[in-house]
Amino acid sequence: MTRPRAASERFVAQLPTRVRSRVEVIYSPILEIRPLNVVVDTGETRGLIFTSANSVNAAASLGVRRDLPAFCVGTATTGTAKGAGWDATMVGYTAEELVAYLLKHRPESPLMHLRGEHTRGNVAGRLTESGLTVHEQVVYQQRLLPLTSEAAAAAAGDRPVIAPLFSPRTARQFAEIWTGPAPLWLVAISEATAEPLYSLEYQRLKIAKEPTPKKMRKAVKKLVKHAMRVEGIETTD
């Protein structure tokens, strides 16, 4: 598991019990989230945009106003925002869907996109160019990390390794730091996430049908089953 530890543990906990019983879980976060100590000025802001749960958590720790509506990407981000006290609406699974929704419905603006220092989609710029004023502020950093010693040992072994990747940036990092002969089975949350992985030698690369945790879990389940069959391990489901 390459996500930050808390997010990885949540994902694993929601896998079917039968899947968890058939794998050894190795936690090796290759991205570390560091909230920034900044002042977020929302004096003129009429709504917030969250494209990750990390931005929600950072905003909450910074005391950003909860009386503003929040437009969110994905179920996890939306749920985190609701849990933190915002009136949150999920407006798509991707930044593209969020932009399309906001341009169609034109909520009161200006809006504020709170994000990490590395992001895709140029949400604020594209919306502003289309006449919906959106400011942006970086509220957390994303520091790349190497594989843990346990993960490196797995890479050097001969047992199949299944690695779910949840963002293009972590996929690029994974492609750069993964070495070793272990049979590699990859799951990508999107085509953009899969792209950096094509440079690796892998047994199979599966892309989730939708960029959601549910579809990622389903893809992992299928890959575990398939890997076990290929390795000659008995499976009945």
Side-chain angles (χ1 to χ4, degrees):
M1 293 302 301
T2 59
R3 305 179 89 184
R5 183 65 182 239
S8 288
E9 289 180 346
R10 285 195 300 271
F11 182 83
V12 170
Q14 293 173 344
L15 287 171
T17 302
R18 186 177 293 271
V19 172
R20 295 200 307 271
S21 70
R22 292 176 171 178
V23 298
E24 174 190 351
V25 180
I26 297 175
Y27 294 100
S28 180
I30 58 177
L31 192 69
E32 180 183 46
I33 304 301
R34 290 185 173 182
L36 295 174
N37 185 20
V38 295
V39 175
V40 181
D41 183 3
T42 56
E44 301 295 324
T45 303
R46 295 294 176 264
L48 303 173
I49 295 174
F50 291 125
T51 48
S52 76
N54 294 322
S55 60
V56 175
N57 292 329
S61 70
L62 293 169
V64 175
R65 291 164 50 195
R66 304 299 207 279
D67 61 338
L68 296 169
F71 303 97
C72 303
V73 170
T75 54
T77 303
T78 307
T80 302
K82 288 181 177 179
W86 276 285
D87 179 13
T89 301
M90 185 178 127
V91 295
Y93 289 110
T94 64
E96 294 294 326
E97 292 178 359
L98 175 137
V99 168
Y101 176 95
L102 293 176
L103 289 179
K104 178 180 179 180
H105 294 276
R106 299 276 173 174
E108 190 177 359
S109 62
L111 304 176
M112 175 75 75
H113 181 201
L114 299 176
R115 63 175 182 83
E117 62 181 342
H118 298 282
T119 188
R120 292 170 57 87
N122 187 24
V123 169
R126 290 166 60 196
L127 288 170
T128 298
E129 288 174 1
S130 298
L132 184 65
T133 302
V134 178
H135 305 299
E136 61 181 352
Q137 184 164 347
V138 174
V139 291
Y140 67 92
Q141 294 177 321
Q142 301 129 300
R143 177 171 168 253
L144 295 173
L145 301 173
L147 292 174
T148 63
S149 57
E150 187 180 9
D158 58 5
R159 297 170 62 194
V161 175
I162 297 174
L165 283 307
F166 291 82
S167 74
R169 191 157 189 257
T170 53
R172 287 193 297 271
Q173 173 70 351
F174 185 85
E176 289 180 7
I177 64 178
W178 181 265
T179 58
L184 188 58
W185 300 72
L186 299 168
V187 183
I189 197 169
S190 65
E191 179 59 50
T193 300
E195 188 174 346
L197 304 173
Y198 292 132
S199 63
L200 293 168
E201 292 187 13
Y202 52 83
Q203 298 293 315
R204 188 171 181 181
L205 169 56
K206 186 173 183 61
I207 301 174
K209 291 185 177 181
E210 293 177 355
T212 65
K214 180 179 179 180
K215 294 299 183 182
M216 282 292 284
R217 290 193 297 271
K218 187 173 183 179
V220 167
K221 177 183 176 181
K222 288 183 176 180
L223 218 56
V224 168
K225 183 179 179 180
H226 192 66
M228 292 180 70
R229 285 179 173 170
V230 170
E231 294 298 314
I233 303 171
E234 189 68 27
T235 178
T236 58
D237 65 342

